[in-house]
Amino acid sequence: MEAPTIFLLLILLLIVFAGKSLINPCRNAIPTTYPVIGCLISFYTNRNRLLDWYTELLTGSPSGTVVIHRLAARRTVVTANPSNVEYILKTNFDNFPKGKPFTDILGDFLGDGIFNVDGNLWLKQRRLATHDFTPKSLREFVTVLRTEVNNELLPFLDAAAQDSKHFDLHELLRRFTFNMVCIFFLGIDHRGSLNPSSPVSEFDRAFQTASAVSAGRGSAPLSFVWKLKRMVGFGSEKDLKNAVGEVHRCLHGIIRQKKKKTKSTAHDRGDFLSRLIAAGESDETVRDMVISIVMAGRDTTSAVITRLFWVIAGHQETEHDLVNEIRSVKGEITSGFDYGSLKKLSLLKACLCEVMRLYPPVPWDSKHALTDDRLPDGTVVRAGDRVTYFPYGMGRMEELWGRDWDDFKPNRWVESYDDDRTVRVLKKVNPFKFPVFQAGPRVCLGEEMAYVQMKYIVASMLDRFEIEPIATDKPVFVPMLTAHMAGGMQVRVRRRDQICISFEKVNNSNNSDRGSFFST
């Protein structure tokens, strides 16, 4: 029996047993809330548009906070109030951990990885990961990035422009960023095919399935349904179990190979995976941390870049200004962008911030209160409540961004210009108003690396190519563990200014499938 049918039967049973008490909603409740079932009907009706539903509720709330009561679910406080966000993420950080309810939802997939744990285990993993985000490490990352862009990404785009073939830009970038994770963080020679029309590996397919099903657990109208399905090994929960098993199988193979290589090689490059193994962590702990790194490095930046190209396709003046900035900075250097020159791309960073304001890669994040509390706006929090701060809704609040919040305006991030108005100085925005990388003690370690990667990829592409989306309809924004555009984004590319560019390649097989740990 499918979940919607089960849901409707339960509602009918509740109406029969609860009688008239379900007919009259509680007064002044936002959203409309009934005795016994709470706002379950509204939640179910809006289950496929929860981001916009929550935003509508928060827009109608004077405090920017709403409390969600629904049958068979934990009381949930959802806020778009920066003062509340600061209190949750910083001021009273210790009272708002991820919490067991969160780790139960994602534990089968993320295990004890850094995104799914609290306390000493979280702190230990964070310290281990810090080494990969120092200025020295970021410069090394740019070197690897330059090689992969020049040898893999740009030649693919050049061939696509020559053949006038359309392709899924999001899938192309997702594959590229996955390759970067494998090379830089895992230290393995994995370069899967970038061609979006070629089959994905079993690992990739399993990873996507595990992400989708795990995200579905968190937004399920009735949580006991997925728990029951897991207990009996049915439907999506059976798919999740199989997918997680495949992910684990592949990663344990990588770990074994890395251990053999470490023993036989005196001088290892010191990648993240090697350091985890050298620290004496168990294979299971290493595996779970790698899953978190793959998820963060593969899915977030590719989604933001894709959305940026969709947005600037409708803002030709902004695209023109971006190309001028990119070529101006590029003209100052001789061998591609480096870590220092990327910092000068201020308009590009403003565009990325503006895209993430409207389409954050993580549209919501939840903690769970350890003890009774009260948020700065007066909202009462009870021990065990889910407390959700909501970047997607925050980017749409008139109180935070003005009446033009729905306009794409990169200049809202600009503090000032130099004398000839070519160099922009960006504002230092309150991170609790713009928490796309979290804030406080759990602020994302990879924030600067994410900007470096996005800037390098976008600048390299815009300098050489015009990216034309084929569909004109506004893409649907899908909130999974990380958000993306439903169905990807089909595009055509043309060489900018009709200049034929040749690329010096190290490897001529960029469009072929290579054997790797992730092969079928």
Side-chain angles (χ1 to χ4, degrees):
M1 187 177 295
E2 295 297 324
T5 305
I6 295 173
F7 175 82
L8 292 174
L9 286 175
L10 286 171
I11 292 296
L12 289 173
L13 288 172
L14 284 167
I15 291 174
V16 170
F17 287 110
K20 293 183 179 180
S21 66
L22 287 177
I23 297 174
N24 299 314
C26 302
R27 292 183 179 180
N28 302 322
I30 300 176
T32 302
T33 302
Y34 297 87
V36 182
I37 66 170
C39 68
L40 184 58
I41 295 175
S42 296
F43 187 93
Y44 183 78
T45 302
N46 291 281
R47 68 193 185 281
N48 294 323
R49 58 180 300 273
L50 288 178
L51 294 178
D52 292 321
W53 183 57
Y54 279 157
T55 301
E56 291 162 6
L57 296 177
L58 292 166
T59 301
S61 168
S63 65
T65 303
V66 294
V67 180
I68 307 294
H69 303 267
R70 58 186 174 91
L71 178 71
R74 197 170 291 269
R75 182 177 184 267
T76 301
V77 177
V78 184
T79 187
N81 186 321
S83 296
N84 290 345
V85 176
E86 183 173 7
Y87 186 79
I88 296 163
L89 297 183
K90 180 183 177 182
T91 308
N92 204 13
F93 171 80
D94 290 338
N95 195 41
F96 296 98
K98 289 283 187 181
K100 189 175 185 301
F102 186 94
T103 57
D104 284 347
I105 291 172
L106 300 181
D108 289 334
F109 179 38
L110 298 184
D112 288 332
I114 192 170
F115 296 147
N116 203 45
V117 293
D118 295 303
N120 290 334
L121 185 56
W122 161 74
L123 188 60
K124 179 181 180 181
Q125 294 187 38
R126 188 174 176 88
R127 286 171 178 165
L128 283 170
T130 299
H131 177 89
D132 289 271
F133 304 103
T134 62
K136 179 178 181 295
S137 182
L138 289 171
R139 289 185 175 88
E140 293 174 356
F141 181 73
V142 171
T143 300
V144 176
L145 189 57
R146 181 186 301 118
T147 299
E148 295 306 305
V149 167
N150 289 342
N151 290 352
E152 303 291 329
L153 181 61
L154 295 180
F156 175 88
L157 294 171
D158 189 51
Q162 185 173 352
D163 296 339
S164 298
K165 291 183 178 180
H166 62 83
F167 59 89
D168 182 354
L169 179 63
H170 180 250
E171 178 63 14
L172 170 71
L173 295 174
R174 192 188 60 77
R175 293 182 183 214
F176 178 82
T177 53
F178 179 50
N179 285 355
M180 282 297 301
V181 169
C182 293
I183 295 167
F184 188 77
F185 286 98
L186 306 188
I188 61 176
D189 187 15
H190 167 78
R191 290 183 184 85
S193 172
L194 296 186
N195 190 341
S197 63
S198 65
V200 298
S201 66
E202 288 299 322
F203 174 85
D204 205 342
R205 186 179 296 108
F207 203 96
Q208 292 184 59
T209 298
S211 297
V213 178
S214 297
R217 284 178 171 183
S219 58
L222 297 169
S223 59
F224 72 82
V225 174
W226 71 257
K227 292 178 180 178
L228 179 62
K229 290 165 67 177
R230 180 176 63 177
M231 185 184 301
V232 299
F234 172 73
S236 59
E237 288 298 316
K238 180 180 179 181
D239 295 338
L240 175 61
K241 183 178 180 180
N242 292 337
V244 170
E246 178 62 23
V247 170
H248 287 179
R249 183 188 67 79
C250 290
L251 291 181
H252 280 300
I254 292 173
I255 294 167
R256 286 193 299 270
Q257 291 296 322
K258 175 63 71 171
K259 285 182 174 180
K260 290 179 181 178
K261 181 180 178 182
T262 302
K263 288 180 180 179
S264 61
T265 305
H267 301 286
D268 189 84
R269 189 182 67 83
D271 55 80
F272 177 68
L273 178 55
S274 296
R275 281 195 302 280
L276 284 179
I277 294 172
E281 300 296 332
S282 68
D283 286 1
E284 289 73 22
T285 298
V286 173
R287 177 200 68 201
D288 292 345
M289 281 205 70
V290 168
I291 290 173
S292 291
I293 288 293
V294 170
M295 185 178 68
R298 183 192 74 158
D299 295 338
T300 52
T301 55
S302 59
V304 174
I305 296 171
T306 304
R307 179 65 70 165
L308 174 64
F309 278 112
W310 179 80
V311 170
I312 64 173
H315 294 79
Q316 293 185 353
E317 183 177 350
T318 300
E319 181 177 355
H320 178 266
D321 291 344
L322 278 172
V323 173
N324 284 342
E325 177 185 73
I326 290 164
R327 290 183 170 177
S328 174
V329 171
K330 186 180 179 183
E332 300 174 3
I333 51 183
T334 58
S335 59
F337 299 103
D338 56 23
Y339 181 55
S341 61
L342 290 171
K343 290 181 176 294
K344 298 179 181 180
L345 298 174
S346 54
L347 175 60
L348 178 51
K349 183 172 182 178
C351 288
L352 291 168
C353 289
E354 185 70 342
V355 166
M356 289 189 288
R357 176 182 70 86
L358 292 168
Y359 305 102
V362 181
W364 48 30
D365 188 27
S366 295
K367 316 296 181 182
H368 288 84
L370 288 179
T371 62
D372 293 350
D373 210 332
R374 183 183 295 271
L375 300 181
D377 68 358
T379 302
V380 173
V381 176
R382 301 171 187 169
D385 282 356
R386 176 184 292 183
V387 182
T388 299
Y389 70 95
F390 191 41
Y392 180 89
M394 296 179 77
R396 287 162 168 71
M397 294 293 112
E398 183 176 322
E399 293 80 4
L400 299 181
W401 302 100
R403 293 183 178 180
D404 61 353
W405 66 262
D406 58 341
D407 293 337
F408 176 76
K409 295 180 63 175
N411 281 342
R412 75 172 80 241
W413 299 88
V414 176
E415 182 73 44
S416 61
Y417 294 85
D418 66 353
D419 292 339
D420 60 2
R421 294 187 65 80
T422 57
V423 178
R424 300 162 179 83
V425 178
L426 300 187
K427 295 177 181 177
K428 292 185 178 180
V429 175
N430 180 353
F432 304 103
K433 173 184 173 181
F434 181 62
V436 296
F437 291 99
Q438 288 209 54
R442 287 194 85 128
V443 66
C444 178
L445 286 171
E447 177 178 354
E448 181 64 18
M449 181 172 284
Y451 278 119
V452 164
Q453 180 164 258
M454 291 188 291
K455 283 181 178 180
Y456 200 108
I457 293 172
V458 173
S460 299
M461 291 174 65
L462 277 178
D463 179 45
R464 296 163 173 82
F465 302 102
E466 297 177 19
I467 311 296
E468 178 191 359
I470 293 175
T472 56
D473 295 338
K474 185 177 181 179
V476 177
F477 190 62
V478 181
M480 293 173 54
L481 295 185
T482 55
H484 64 276
M485 293 165 59
M489 187 173 83
Q490 293 291 320
V491 300
R492 293 188 184 90
V493 296
R494 292 191 297 271
R495 296 189 186 92
R496 193 173 294 282
D497 301 331
Q498 299 300 312
I499 298 174
C500 182
I501 302 170
S502 62
F503 302 100
E504 187 176 320
K505 293 186 47 115
V506 173
N507 191 320
N508 292 321
S509 57
N510 64 297
N511 288 330
S512 63
D513 288 315
R514 295 175 174 84
S516 73
F517 291 107
F518 301 123
S519 298
T520 303

